[in-house]
């Protein structure tokens, strides 16, 4: 039995149909005919469950959303046009001018720019912390704090958070915890650890082959009794709790973000993403096993490798305890200088040079000259970006072939 066995049955059974076309139908229509004005009225007031308009939801995408919700044990999910769309939807649907975010770990460059630049234009301030600065995080929480945002694995700094401890801080303070679980789908189940919302870039390992840009936010249900969403801090949500009860976070996300900002998934990408889900557990299982073999061998050969499975990594114990199903497809090699990094990237024959991660193929990228090129030295230092840093995303190739190729490329 592999670590991901439980998901193998769920995904293939949920994606395929038992009657008619086995493969999911792709509904390539932007709009839907209502037939009668009475039905139109019912669709708009929510009493008739039929598609309204593809910006607000599409039948193919709805199927993907139900599988994603099942994967994480959520009450529902909203699929988006990209991973950044999912982060924007989850955050913007809860934020107002004057609110504050506490961002912990990583951080993927696009998310950092959203928090540190774009959201500041709308009066939202973000405080950034390393995963182990729990005391500082507690001290920073105030009446304006609306969201604690966490990356399950620092991309690309490879630091691992104690998700349960951070969830406890968020829950004690009555603040929403959003986890970006892009790198560890199934390995980590944030809602079970106490998070409220999980966001994904499905573009990565979930699709797995660079065929579809997409994202998804998975939401927990609202509790019958006390719930942090029922407190005055989240007063904007109360009308949705009144109307939709347990499901309130879904209409809130759709109306506050999707309807107005339009980061909607397209049906074809949702279809491609479901095809990816069918093989996701098998691919994850292979990659998390390969990566340990690869980093161990490269480390033994004197390369400066950053991966939590190595004894020398500061979060090696946390990796063994909390990340026993692996921490995804990534590790980094610090080659010391940009010149050495470029030399390696020009010599490797197996790695494909691209900004993506989580592909069937092994991918590589020099960080400082690409995704993080616009950031100053202080921010790069905080995010762990050094001149010689190359991010690697391991694919499905033979681990020995990757080891041989990388050792040859650094000669
Ligand atoms: N979150 C993480 C951890 C990522 O690595 C990425 C990568 O691009 C994103 C979010 C954004 O996803 P997308 O490119 O699908 O918008």
């Amino acid at each position: 039995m592999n670590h991901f066995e439980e998901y193998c049955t769920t995904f293939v059974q949920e994606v395929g149909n038992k009657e008619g076309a086995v493969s999911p139908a792709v509904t390539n229509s932007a709009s839907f005919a209502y037939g009668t004005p009475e039905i139109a009225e019912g669709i708009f007031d929510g009493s008739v469950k039929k598609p309204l308009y593809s910006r607000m939801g599409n039948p193919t995408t709805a199927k993907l959303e139900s599988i994603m919700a099942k994967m994480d044990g959520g009450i529902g999910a909203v699929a988006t046009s990209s991973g950044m769309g999912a982060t924007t939807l989850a955050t913007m649907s809860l934020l107002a001018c004057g609110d504050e975010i506490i961002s912990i770990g990583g951080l993927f460059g696009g998310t950092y720019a959203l928090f540190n630049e774009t959201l500041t234009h709308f009066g939202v301030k973000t405080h950034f912390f390393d995963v182990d600065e729990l005391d500082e995080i507690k001290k920073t929480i105030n009446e304006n704090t609306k969201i604690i945002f966490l990356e399950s694995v620092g991309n690309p700094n490879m630091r691992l958070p104690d998700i349960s401890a951070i969830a406890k801080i968020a829950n004690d303070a009555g603040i929403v915890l959003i986890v970006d679980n892009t790198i560890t789908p199934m390995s980590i189940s944030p809602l079970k650890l106490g998070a409220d919302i999980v966001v994904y870039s499905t573009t990565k390992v979930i699709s797995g082959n660079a065929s579809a840009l997409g994202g998804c936010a998975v939401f927990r249900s609202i509790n019958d009794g006390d719930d942090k969403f029922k407190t005055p801090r989240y007063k904007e949500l109360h009308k949705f709790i009144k109307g939709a009860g347990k499901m309130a976070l879904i209409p809130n996300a759709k109306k506050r973000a999707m309807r107005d900002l339009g980061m909607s998934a397209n049906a074809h990408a949702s279809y491609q993403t479901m095809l990816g889900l069918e093989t996701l557990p098998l691919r994850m299982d292979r990659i998390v096993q390969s990566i340990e073999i690869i980093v161990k061998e490269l480390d033994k050969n004197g390369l400066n490798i950053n991966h939590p499975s190595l004894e020398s990594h500061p979060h090696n114990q946390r990796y063994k305890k909390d990340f026993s199903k692996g921490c995804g497809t990534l590790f980094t090699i610090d080659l010391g200088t940009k010149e050495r990094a470029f030399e390696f990237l020009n010599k490797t024959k197996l790695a494909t040079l691209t900004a993506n991660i989580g592909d069937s193929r092994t991918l590589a990228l020099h960080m400082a000259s690409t995704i993080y090129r616009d950031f100053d030295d202080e921010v790069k230092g905080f995010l762990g970006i050094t001149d010689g840093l190359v991010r690697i995303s391991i694919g499905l190739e033979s681990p020995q072939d990757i080891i041989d190729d990388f050792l040859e490329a650094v000669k």
Side-chain angles (χ1 to χ4, degrees):
M1 278 264 264
N2 71 47
H3 290 318
F4 303 100
E5 189 80 25
E6 60 182 293
Y7 297 97
C8 290
T9 307
T10 309
F11 289 163
V12 291
Q13 289 292 318
E14 291 285 325
V15 171
N17 296 308
K18 286 280 189 292
E19 271 183 49
V22 173
S23 194
V26 182
T27 305
N28 266 329
S29 189
S31 67
F32 300 91
Y34 309 132
T36 68
E38 290 78 12
I39 292 177
E41 186 179 35
I43 290 172
F44 274 76
D45 72 19
S47 60
V48 175
K49 302 286 174 225
K50 283 188 168 179
L52 187 151
Y53 180 68
S54 269
R55 177 157 35 79
M56 296 299 285
N58 168 288
T60 310
T61 300
K63 182 156 182 149
L64 168 65
E65 290 167 342
S66 84
I67 304 170
M68 291 294 293
K70 208 164 247 183
M71 174 172 88
D72 268 317
I75 194 154
V78 179
T80 53
S81 53
S82 70
M84 282 313 301
T87 299
T88 305
L89 169 120
T91 53
M92 292 286 268
S93 64
L94 294 171
L95 291 168
C97 182
D99 286 342
E100 296 183 13
I101 300 174
I102 291 180
S103 171
I104 306 172
L107 196 63
F108 166 61
T111 311
Y112 184 83
L114 171 70
F115 291 171
N116 197 45
E117 294 171 31
T118 307
L119 287 186
T120 63
H121 304 162
F122 298 91
V124 174
K125 182 175 174 183
T126 300
H127 307 268
F128 296 92
F129 292 101
D130 173 61
V131 288
D132 286 334
E133 292 180 302
L134 299 189
D135 287 338
E136 289 81 351
I137 289 165
K138 276 187 216 162
K139 278 187 222 143
T140 304
I141 293 173
N142 64 46
E143 71 277 9
N144 297 322
T145 313
K146 270 281 179 59
I147 291 169
I148 297 184
F149 188 94
L150 175 69
E151 254 180 36
S152 64
V153 176
N155 169 14
N157 73 10
M158 299 309 298
R159 289 176 67 72
L160 302 180
D162 182 340
I163 301 176
S164 301
I166 294 167
K168 183 168 181 334
I169 294 173
N171 288 322
D172 287 350
I175 294 168
V176 168
L177 176 62
I178 301 179
V179 176
D180 181 340
N181 204 32
T182 296
I183 297 175
T184 45
M186 303 172 301
S187 298
I188 296 292
S189 299
L191 297 187
K192 291 188 186 128
L193 297 174
D196 303 287
I197 303 171
V198 193
V199 293
Y200 290 97
S201 165
T202 57
T203 319
K204 309 293 176 334
V205 73
I206 292 179
S207 289
N209 51 23
S211 62
L213 190 72
C216 194
V218 182
F219 300 89
R220 74 158 168 91
S221 62
I222 305 291
N223 298 323
D224 284 337
D226 286 346
D227 193 301
K228 63 176 91 159
F229 286 111
K230 294 178 182 169
T231 63
R233 196 185 294 269
Y234 299 101
K235 59 179 184 306
E236 306 291 342
L237 197 80
H238 294 178
K239 69 172 181 190
F240 292 105
I241 296 179
K242 221 168 154 196
K246 282 180 188 309
M247 299 287 296
L249 288 168
I250 310 287
N252 178 63
K254 286 210 168 183
K255 290 201 170 162
R256 285 273 153 278
M258 194 83 120
R259 182 192 60 191
D260 302 346
L261 304 175
M263 65 283 277
S264 325
N266 77 74
H268 196 73
S270 299
Y271 172 74
Q272 295 282 88
T273 306
M274 282 191 272
L275 298 189
L277 274 173
E278 289 193 333
T279 56
L280 176 65
L282 301 180
R283 289 183 286 109
M284 276 296 269
D285 187 52
R286 176 170 172 87
I287 291 171
V288 298
Q289 288 188 41
S290 291
I291 205 165
E292 288 197 9
I293 299 167
I294 293 164
V295 296
K296 196 167 165 200
E297 199 54 30
L298 296 180
D299 180 64
K300 222 168 71 187
N301 278 275
L303 270 74
N304 189 355
I305 305 292
N306 185 1
H307 189 267
S309 67
L310 297 171
E311 300 267 321
S312 55
H313 192 282
H315 293 142
N316 181 245
Q317 287 309 316
R318 196 170 285 163
Y319 178 77
K320 287 179 180 152
K321 187 168 127 313
D322 299 338
F323 289 76
S324 60
K325 294 179 183 173
C327 67
T329 67
L330 296 184
F331 70 90
T332 62
I333 314 177
D334 194 335
L335 290 136
T337 62
K338 179 180 170 185
E339 289 67 33
R340 290 273 298 140
F342 274 34
E343 206 179 313
F344 167 76
L345 291 169
N346 277 316
K347 276 165 109 184
T348 169
K349 291 197 170 65
L350 289 188
T352 301
L353 313 192
T354 177
N356 199 17
I357 56 173
D359 201 290
S360 301
R361 293 143 273 277
T362 290
L363 313 176
L365 194 66
H366 179 245
M367 294 282 93
S369 60
T370 58
I371 295 175
Y372 296 90
R373 60 172 299 118
D374 291 341
F375 298 162
D376 61 30
D377 288 346
E378 197 190 331
V379 175
K380 280 193 207 151
F382 170 72
L383 297 173
I385 311 301
T386 51
D387 289 344
L389 196 75
V390 171
R391 182 182 69 189
I392 307 291
S393 176
I394 289 298
L396 301 174
E397 302 92 341
S398 144
Q400 192 56 51
D401 288 346
I402 297 170
I403 294 165
D404 292 344
D405 178 63
F406 282 14
L407 290 179
E408 188 58 35
V410 292
K411 254 187 200 163

